[in-house]
Amino acid sequence: HREQVGSDFDALIAADQRIEPRDAMPDEYRQTLIRQIAQHAHSEIIGMQPEGNWITRAPSLRRKAILIAKVQDEAGHGLYLYSAAETLGVDRAELLDRLHEGKQKYSSIFNYPTLTWADCGAIGWLVDGAAIMNQVPLCRCSYGPYARAMIRVCKEESFHQRQGFEILWNLMRGTEAQQAMAQDAADRWWWPALMMFGPPDSGEAAKGGHTAQSMAWGIKRFSNDDLRQKFVDMMVPQAEKLGIVLPDPQLRWNAERGHYDFGPIDWDEFWRVLRGDGACNAERITQRRRAHEEGAWVREAANAHAAKQAAKQKE
Ligand code: ACO
């Protein structure tokens, strides 16, 4: 039976066909997807916090309405992703427990603070920009439910990125203080955004990484470094349009490579943040646990309602 599972699965992957929940799949493939989709879902819901921090202080009613909608979108993305993970045979309650116990990761980027309003612009422009770069290829992921969830997520992320760009665009056309605020936000978010793509493809940091296997399975379509390079190439002209100087003196066009060269990334900082030692790790998890506990009555009410409906149908 195991051999049959292997050959059907391999044939589907070789033909670049989608694997669906009903299909047999190797356990390692299933576990890799659960790990990645859960981490992705956790990132979406933890990612509500940095910007949620500014909802009460958005500078106008229009900005407040946009920000509320955006933060709600992130919650929605979390829900699609937990649902996609559930098709692999895990329970979302269990995944949330693993997040709350620190046993599953969420993106490093959400452990940085949002100090000024311009940070909402920088998150939209840089963080959502990086998210799109990473997630558009996931629309072609070999696992059907994940790939389909990504289509809508990417459409919404594109809107988020435009709204971030527009916040910074307006600040850069404002007073000197507003321009300085936008520049400062870009200075603080640029390097962490580059780290979002994950550790480099080669060297010590790449050991134990998942990229080669995930690419062979059609989960990842590009390596971390390739996506990071695409992101830099996309962002440099946008920064020039904005009038923002990216905080990297080594950033320059390399005509031979046809790409921008950029300076070294501080991977020690990345691993420190992953170990829990970033500026906001403790705050993010405490807030998440509190939200979960405060939401217990909603889950109980939903379960009671579902049980009542099920009983009615039996009658
Ligand atoms: N933050 C936290 N952990 C990370 C990050 C990051 N930015 N990048 C890599 N890691 C972790 C990996 O989870 C892995 O840890 P694990 O073995 O304990 O699970 C380890 O670092 C090694 O990395 P890789 O071998 O590159 O891992 P992987 O193949 O899973 O690639 C990546 C990482 C690119 C993030 C991939 O999981 C992915 O594309 N995920 C979907 C997108 C996503 O999660 N986005 C979240 C942020 S965007 C947003 O929410 C708006």
Side-chain angles (χ1 to χ4, degrees), residues 35-36 39-40 43-44 74 105-110 127-128 131 134-135 138 146 157 195-199 208-211 214 220 224 270-271 274:
R35 179 184 61 77
Q36 176 166 329
Q39 170 177 312
H40 194 167
S43 304
E44 298 286 356
E74 309 293 356
K105 295 185 170 79
Y106 59 89
S107 181
S108 51
I109 194 73
F110 300 119
V127 175
D128 296 327
N134 164 267
Q135 288 169 26
L138 292 176
Y146 190 28
E157 292 293 359
M195 293 174 199
M196 283 174 70
F197 295 94
H210 308 287
T211 301
S214 286
K220 279 170 122 167
N224 299 357
F270 173 78
W271 296 113
L274 254 61

Side-chain angles (χ1 to χ4, degrees), residues 228-237 253 258-261:
R228 195 169 5 251
Q229 180 71 62
K230 278 168 172 276
F231 176 69
V232 172
D233 292 347
M234 177 177 84
M235 296 318 267
V236 173
W253 179 250
H259 292 292
Y260 284 92
D261 289 337

Side-chain angles (χ1 to χ4, degrees), residues 41-270:
H42 300 331
S43 304
E44 298 286 356
I45 62 166
I46 294 270
M48 296 167 72
Q49 293 183 37
E51 287 164 290
N53 179 33
W54 279 90
I55 288 175
T56 55
R57 292 173 290 164
S60 69
L61 183 60
R62 176 174 168 264
R63 291 290 182 201
K64 192 196 282 265
I66 294 170
L67 191 58
I68 290 173
K70 192 202 162 196
V71 172
Q72 276 181 353
D73 284 353
E74 309 293 356
H77 297 174
L79 294 182
Y80 315 146
L81 287 162
Y82 286 119
S83 297
E86 284 189 319
T87 65
L88 291 156
V90 281
D91 189 64
R92 83 177 62 187
E94 192 185 314
L95 297 179
L96 284 167
D97 286 345
R98 286 196 220 163
L99 168 67
H100 298 150
E101 289 160 8
K103 289 186 186 150
Q104 266 177 349
K105 295 185 170 79
Y106 59 89
S107 181
S108 51
I109 194 73
F110 300 119
N111 293 304
Y112 292 83
T114 40
L115 305 179
T116 71
W117 167 251
D119 288 11
C120 289
I123 290 180
W125 179 47
L126 294 172
V127 175
D128 296 327
I132 295 168
M133 193 49 90
N134 164 267
Q135 288 169 26
V136 166
L138 292 176
C139 297
R140 293 189 290 116
C141 165
S142 59
Y143 188 58
Y146 190 28
R148 287 190 289 274
M150 278 302 111
I151 293 172
R152 176 154 172 191
V153 169
C154 285
K155 284 185 182 161
E156 293 177 353
E157 292 293 359
S158 305
F159 166 70
H160 296 171
Q161 206 233 358
R162 294 306 295 244
Q163 70 87 42
F165 183 91
E166 200 242 351
I167 289 175
L168 295 177
W169 177 267
N170 284 336
L171 289 174
M172 289 307 287
R173 269 135 204 88
T175 63
E176 255 177 50
Q178 286 171 321
Q179 290 172 22
M181 192 165 76
Q183 179 63 55
D184 170 63
D187 287 348
R188 283 181 291 106
W189 289 93
W190 174 250
W191 291 106
L194 293 190
M195 293 174 199
M196 283 174 70
F197 295 94
D201 298 343
S202 53
E204 201 53 36
K207 286 189 187 146
H210 308 287
T211 301
Q213 181 61 72
S214 286
M215 286 181 74
W217 277 330
I219 296 173
K220 279 170 122 167
R221 297 288 177 172
F222 296 95
S223 75
N224 299 357
D225 282 338
D226 284 352
L227 287 174
R228 195 169 5 251
Q229 180 71 62
K230 278 168 172 276
F231 176 69
V232 172
D233 292 347
M234 177 177 84
M235 296 318 267
V236 173
Q238 293 187 16
E240 282 166 3
K241 277 248 161 26
L242 284 169
I244 280 176
V245 181
L246 293 172
D248 179 357
Q250 295 183 44
L251 195 61
R252 65 178 58 85
W253 179 250
N254 181 330
E256 225 168 87
R257 290 201 311 124
H259 292 292
Y260 284 92
D261 289 337
F262 53 97
I265 293 172
D266 182 356
W267 290 110
D268 286 345
E269 175 179 320
F270 173 78

